[in-house]
Amino acid sequence: MIRSYFEKRPHLIYIMPAIIILGALTIIPTVFLYGLSVTNYELGYPTFDFVGLENYIRLFTGKDAEFWYSVGISLGFMLLATVIQLALGFWLAVLLDREFKLKFLVFACMIVPVAMTPSITGQVWKLMMNAEYGVLNYFLQFFGGKVIWLSGENAFWSTLFVDIWQNTPFVALIIYAGMRSLPTDPYEAAAIDGASKLQTFRNITLPLLWPMILLAVIFRAIDSLKMFDIPYSLTQGGPGSSTEFLSLHIYRLGFAGTGWIGRSAAVSVVLLILTTVISMILIRLYRKGVENKG
C-alpha cells in the first residue's frame, strides 16, 4: 500500500527527507512545549509535578496580572503595525511604479532596513533615541524640543515606529512586485471606455492586487504578533511593563530571573494558538482572493 502510494506520487521520494527533518524540528518541540505547559517545572530544579490545566487557569482567571495586558498590547501592536505598514507600503509601491531618475538608488535604500536583523535594528535605534546623546534629540533641539523616546509613555510608540521603519519597505516591495505583474488588457479596455484614474484603481488595480495585499498582511501580522528582537533590544519590555509583549512575557516568566518554565510554556501555547488562528483566517481570505482573481 505504501509502495503504491509513492508510485502514484514519485515526487514525494525526493522531498521526503526534507519533510521528515522539518516535521521532526516542528512536531517534537511542539509536543515538548505542550508537555511542559501542564507541569510546574522550574528552571534549576531536578523534579517537577503534573499540574494539569492549573497554569492555564492561572492565566485566564487573572492570577497572572500581566498576561491580559500583554495580550492586549500584542494585538494592538499587530493591528497598528500591519495597517500602517500596509498603507505606507502601498503608497511607496504606487510611487515606485513609474520611471524616474535614480530609481535604482531608492530600491537600494529600501533594501537596507529589510536586510538588517531586528536585534541590530533595535540596538541602532536605541542609540539614536538616547534622551541625552541620541541623534534624534540632537536635531530636535534646533526646534526647541526634546523627547524621552523610551519613557513609559513613549516606549510603545517608539517600538512601533522602529518596526514600521524596518518592515514598510518589505510590504512595498511585495505590492510593487504585484503591480508589475498586472495584465495590461483591463487597463487598455478601461481607457477606451473613458474610466477615470480613481475608477480604474478601484475596479481594476485593487481587485487584481488583493491577493498580494493579503499576502503582505499575512507576513506582517504574524511577524508583528510574535515579535521579540526589537522591543527586547530597545526596552527589554520596560519601562515597567509598557512594552512587555507576549513574547517578552514568555521570556520574563521562563528565563529572566524567575525560571517558571511550566507557566512560561503555557503562555507560549496561548501565543501559538493565537498565531495559528489568525494565520488560518488570513490564509483563508488569501485563498478566496486567489480564487476570485482566477
Side-chain angles (χ1 to χ4, degrees):
M1 183 177 179
I2 296 176
R3 184 175 180 178
S4 61
Y5 179 84
F6 280 102
E7 287 177 351
K8 294 178 181 178
R9 301 168 179 84
H11 61 280
L12 290 180
I13 298 176
Y14 300 99
I15 64 175
M16 189 56 65
I19 292 176
I20 294 173
I21 293 173
L22 290 175
L25 292 175
T26 303
I27 295 172
I28 294 175
T30 302
V31 172
F32 186 65
L33 175 68
Y34 277 94
L36 282 176
S37 71
V38 293
T39 68
N40 63 353
Y41 176 61
E42 292 188 29
L43 198 64
Y45 289 83
T47 59
F48 55 91
D49 299 318
F50 174 79
V51 296
L53 298 178
E54 181 180 322
N55 291 329
Y56 296 98
I57 293 172
R58 174 185 290 273
L59 294 178
F60 292 105
T61 56
K63 292 182 179 179
D64 185 346
E66 302 296 334
F67 170 71
W68 286 111
Y69 175 80
S70 296
V71 171
I73 65 170
S74 295
L75 291 174
F77 186 91
M78 178 196 72
L79 183 62
L80 287 171
T82 304
V83 170
I84 295 173
Q85 289 169 24
L86 183 62
L88 292 177
F90 197 96
W91 176 67
L92 285 173
V94 171
L95 292 180
L96 290 171
D97 192 30
R98 61 189 67 182
E99 295 303 322
F100 56 89
K101 292 182 179 180
L102 300 180
K103 186 175 181 179
F104 70 94
L105 185 59
V106 175
F107 274 104
C109 293
M110 290 177 62
I111 292 296
V112 172
V114 178
M116 291 177 66
T117 60
S119 57
I120 297 300
T121 300
Q123 292 291 344
V124 170
W125 278 96
K126 185 176 183 179
L127 293 173
M128 295 173 63
M129 290 177 172
N130 186 283
E132 298 297 329
Y133 310 108
V135 67
L136 296 183
N137 278 348
Y138 173 78
F139 287 110
L140 284 177
Q141 72 180 354
F142 295 110
F143 302 96
K146 181 179 179 181
V147 178
I148 311 299
W149 296 96
L150 301 179
S151 64
E153 296 79 12
N154 298 323
F156 177 88
W157 303 106
S158 297
T159 305
L160 178 63
F161 174 79
V162 175
D163 187 67
I164 291 170
W165 175 85
Q166 180 167 43
N167 293 297
T168 296
F170 173 75
V171 176
L173 291 173
I174 289 179
I175 297 176
Y176 171 76
M179 286 182 170
R180 300 300 288 184
S181 65
L182 294 180
T184 59
D185 294 345
Y187 292 94
E188 293 173 356
I192 293 172
D193 292 338
S196 65
K197 290 184 178 180
L198 182 60
Q199 290 174 326
T200 302
F201 174 80
R202 186 176 65 246
N203 297 314
I204 298 177
T205 303
L206 201 57
L208 290 176
L209 274 180
W210 188 242
M212 298 303 294
I213 292 172
L214 284 176
L215 184 64
V217 169
I218 291 171
F219 282 132
R220 291 309 313 137
I222 296 172
D223 197 43
S224 299
L225 184 60
K226 60 184 181 63
M227 183 183 62
F228 176 84
D229 312 69
I230 290 177
Y232 182 79
S233 299
L234 285 174
T235 63
Q236 290 78 48
S241 57
S242 58
T243 57
E244 190 172 297
F245 303 103
L246 272 173
S247 56
L248 287 164
H249 188 59
I250 292 167
Y251 173 77
R252 183 176 67 80
L253 284 178
F255 305 100
T258 53
W260 296 327
I261 299 297
R263 290 172 56 182
S264 175
V267 182
S268 300
V269 170
V270 173
L271 178 58
L272 176 62
I273 293 173
L274 190 60
T275 305
T276 303
V277 170
I278 293 174
S279 302
M280 289 175 64
I281 294 172
L282 293 174
I283 290 172
R284 181 169 295 182
L285 289 173
Y286 172 76
R287 287 176 176 172
K288 285 184 178 180
V290 172
E291 290 173 0
N292 292 335
K293 183 178 178 180

